[in-house]
């Protein structure tokens, strides 16, 4: 995707953050990052700590796994681990927008509530709908399939 218009001289550079637990980082996540890097000057994949979830690895290990799958040419994309509120990260690191991928209406309802909270804290959210062929893939499904014996996988 060409980003030449996003880098017009005199235009304010916009940094975006794409937060998530990324346990694991799926093809859908990669697609959201790819599309976000076409919209914003810089994208930070923010590997977050979610106290509700029981991740298979700590945030630093998950961040390293994300770095390992990002194409080398994606120089405008970085990865960071963070254990606080996403809005606090945004304020501390001069990030102007949060990017969230949504697969379905359930995701949208949940994400809308988070977006409203983050907006009240001064950080807007941009939703990117999942590509139809990736909408059914979730980290939970990938983890579950990864634990099944290969004979039981579809």
């Amino acid at each position: 995707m060409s980003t030449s218009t996003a880098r017009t001289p005199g235009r304010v550079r916009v940094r975006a953050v794409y937060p998530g637990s990324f346990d694991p980082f799926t093809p859908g996540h990669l697609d959201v990052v790819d599309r976000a890097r076409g919209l914003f000057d810089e994208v930070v994949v923010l590997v977050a700590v979610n106290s509700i979830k029981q991740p298979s690895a700590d945030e630093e290990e998950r961040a390293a796994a994300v770095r390992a799958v990002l194409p080398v040419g994606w120089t405008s994309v970085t990865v960071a681990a963070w254990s606080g509120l996403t809005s606090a990260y945004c304020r501390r690191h001069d990030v102007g927008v949060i990017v969230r991928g949504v697969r379905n209406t359930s995701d949208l309802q949940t994400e809308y509530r988070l977006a409203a909270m983050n907006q009240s804290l001064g950080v807007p959210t941009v939703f990117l709908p999942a590509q139809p062929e990736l909408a059914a893939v979730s980290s939970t499904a990938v983890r579950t399939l990864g634990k099944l014996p290969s004979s039981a996988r579809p």
Side-chain angles (χ1 to χ4, degrees):
M1 179 178 273
S2 173
T3 58
S4 59
T5 58
R7 294 180 179 37
T8 305
R11 190 181 77 64
V12 174
R13 293 179 57 82
V14 179
R15 297 182 76 211
V17 68
Y18 176 38
S21 55
F22 305 119
D23 185 34
F25 194 73
T26 68
H29 295 136
L30 188 65
D31 179 66
V32 169
V33 173
D34 188 23
R35 290 189 288 147
R37 72 188 190 92
L39 296 171
F40 304 103
D41 298 295
E42 296 176 50
V43 177
V44 178
V45 178
L46 191 65
V47 179
V49 174
N50 183 334
S51 60
I52 297 170
K53 296 183 178 183
Q54 300 290 323
S56 61
D58 71 28
E59 64 273 15
E60 291 295 339
E61 291 171 311
R62 288 180 282 131
V66 172
R67 283 185 200 98
V69 298
L70 292 176
V72 175
W74 290 10
T75 56
S76 65
V77 179
T78 58
V79 180
W82 182 254
S83 62
L85 291 175
T86 300
S87 60
Y89 181 91
C90 292
R91 284 191 303 277
R92 184 173 293 172
H93 296 278
D94 197 29
V95 173
V97 67
I98 297 169
V99 173
R100 296 297 294 165
V102 291
R103 293 171 295 160
N104 52 44
T105 56
S106 281
D107 278 0
L108 183 59
Q109 289 174 347
T110 301
E111 294 298 340
Y112 186 83
R113 285 190 291 275
L114 288 172
M117 180 191 66
N118 285 318
Q119 180 69 45
S120 74
L121 296 171
V123 187
T125 299
V126 171
F127 296 119
L128 294 177
Q131 298 291 350
E133 65 274 13
L134 299 172
V137 179
S138 70
S139 291
T140 302
V142 170
R143 278 194 313 276
T144 302
L145 285 174
K147 292 177 183 175
L148 292 177
S150 58
S151 61
R153 291 184 195 151

